[in-house]
Each structure stands twice: as C-alpha cells, then as structure tokens.
Amino acid sequence: MANTDVVIVDYDAGNLRSVQRACAEVGLSARISRAPADVLTAPRVIFPGVGAAGPAMQSIEATGMRAALQEFLATGRPLLGICLGMQISLERSEEQCTQTLGLLPGMVRRFSFSDPTLKVPHMGWNRVRQVRPHPLLAGLEENDEFYFVHGYYPQPSRDDDVFAVSDYEFDFPCAVGRANYFGTQFHPEKSGRVGLRLLAAFRQWDGTC
C-alpha cells in the first residue's frame, strides 16, 4: 500500500467516498478497502459508517474484519471511528440488541425524550463541547458545530473515556476514546472547516493522549 496514509474500512455501511474526499482535503492519501490484510498493514485506520448495527456486524463478521480491527488496535496505531463505526466499536448496542466489537468498553443507547417534539433520528448541526483535552479536538472553539445524523448515542463505561458532549434535550457523549482509539458520533467529513480540522489533527496524531 505504497503512499497510503490511511485505510477506510468498507463493510457495506456507506459514506466512504465523502470520507475519502475529506481526507484528500487535508493531505491524507486514503484507500477504501474491505480486506482485513489492508487494515493490518495500514499506518492508521478510519472506521466510518451509516446504517444499523445488526447488518453492519453481520458484514464485519462475514469479511473477517472483527479480528483485523482488534489486532490493529492492539498495535497502538491510530484508529478513528465515525458515527456507526464508532457505535459498533463499543461492546453492545440497544439497536436490535446487538453485540458489537468491544474496542471500547461501554454500550450504545437509543434516544428517549420527555419532550415529544424532539425527533429521532437527531439530524443537523449541533454545538460540541469539549470536557477533556484530546489531540484531535485541539483548537475546538466554544461555538463550533458539527453535523449529526443518529438515533443512538454512546455511553462508555468510564467517564474518563468521554472527551466531548453535545445537547439534544440532555448532554450526550459525542467524542469518546481511550489510548489510540478515538470515535465521534458526528460526521467530521460533513462538518466543513471544523471537521477538516479534526481530520488534519488525525493525520498528525501518534495514538497517544
């Protein structure tokens, strides 16, 4: 994979070309692949996705990508999960009661509101507030907004694994991680200037906090 800075994992969950284009905007040479061998040899990996947890996990199991992602993470190289990719990085999802990858301890919960006017999925621009420093959030400003499309949100087992929150009736974690893993509920590739800034930081990130 000469001249490839990052592998974007393909598991039939969409949104791959927009991630690839956003990577090109910040100087990352990105290759889309569904081959576990490509993930294992990549300098860094992006694990994006849109859709449902159940079918996503079926595809991951069918391609052998589960073991590749777990082995890649164990090497200490940087891994970025986005939206569905981030959600199925946790241990379990309330969506279809799905057992997921367990790259980060915790579960994914469905939105439930007391306000009947709030719609699910949550869709649109929302402010992101940093609660703990992280290299990928460096430069995040008070009123910076990112683009969201989701009906579920992550709930890591440890509060220390939450780096940023957003608000939709209540504060929910929207940027989570530990060691060389970082995941976002929002879509950096669809978030204009602030999203590109995060991807540019990922290009430089060595996998440490």
Side-chain angles (χ1 to χ4, degrees), residues 8 20 32 54 61 66 74 83 88 116 175:
I8 300 169
Q20 188 179 42
I32 297 170
E61 299 289 6
R66 173 195 281 270
C83 197
I88 61 175

Side-chain angles (χ1 to χ4, degrees), residues 50-70:
V50 294
M57 285 304 302
Q58 290 174 10
S59 179
I60 285 169
E61 299 289 6
T63 60
M65 194 60 76
R66 173 195 281 270
L69 287 166
Q70 292 170 336

Side-chain angles (χ1 to χ4, degrees), residues 159-172:
D159 290 343
D160 285 352
D161 292 338
V162 178
F163 290 92
V165 299
S166 191
D167 175 75
Y168 198 51
E169 190 176 69
F170 55 86
D171 282 350
F172 65 88

Side-chain angles (χ1 to χ4, degrees), residues 67-142:
L69 287 166
Q70 292 170 336
E71 187 174 337
F72 176 88
L73 189 66
T75 69
R77 285 171 284 171
L79 195 163
L80 173 63
I82 297 174
C83 197
L84 180 62
M86 178 276 297
Q87 291 183 356
I88 61 175
S89 295
L90 278 74
E91 296 169 302
R92 185 166 64 90
S93 175
E94 289 185 345
E95 186 174 24
Q96 303 161 331
C97 298
T98 305
Q99 295 296 124
T100 47
L101 292 170
L103 305 181
L104 183 72
M107 67 178 299
V108 171
R109 297 195 179 278
R110 189 182 191 279
F111 277 125
S112 179
F113 303 120
S114 59
D115 182 352
T117 67
L118 291 175
K119 295 181 179 180
V120 178
H122 166 225
M123 184 179 301
W125 294 84
N126 249 42
R127 187 168 69 91
V128 168
R129 177 169 59 87
Q130 188 170 193
V131 295
R132 295 184 63 234
H134 192 281
L136 297 195
L137 298 176
L140 184 69
E141 298 176 359
E142 182 178 357

Side-chain angles (χ1 to χ4, degrees), residues 6 14 26 30 43 47-48 57 69 74 78 84-85 90 109-110 127 130 155 157 174 179 186 194 199:
V6 60
V26 300
F47 184 33
M57 285 304 302
L69 287 166
L84 180 62
L90 278 74
R109 297 195 179 278
R110 189 182 191 279
R127 187 168 69 91
Q130 188 170 193
Q155 187 174 72
S157 297
C174 66
F186 52 81
V194 293
L199 290 173

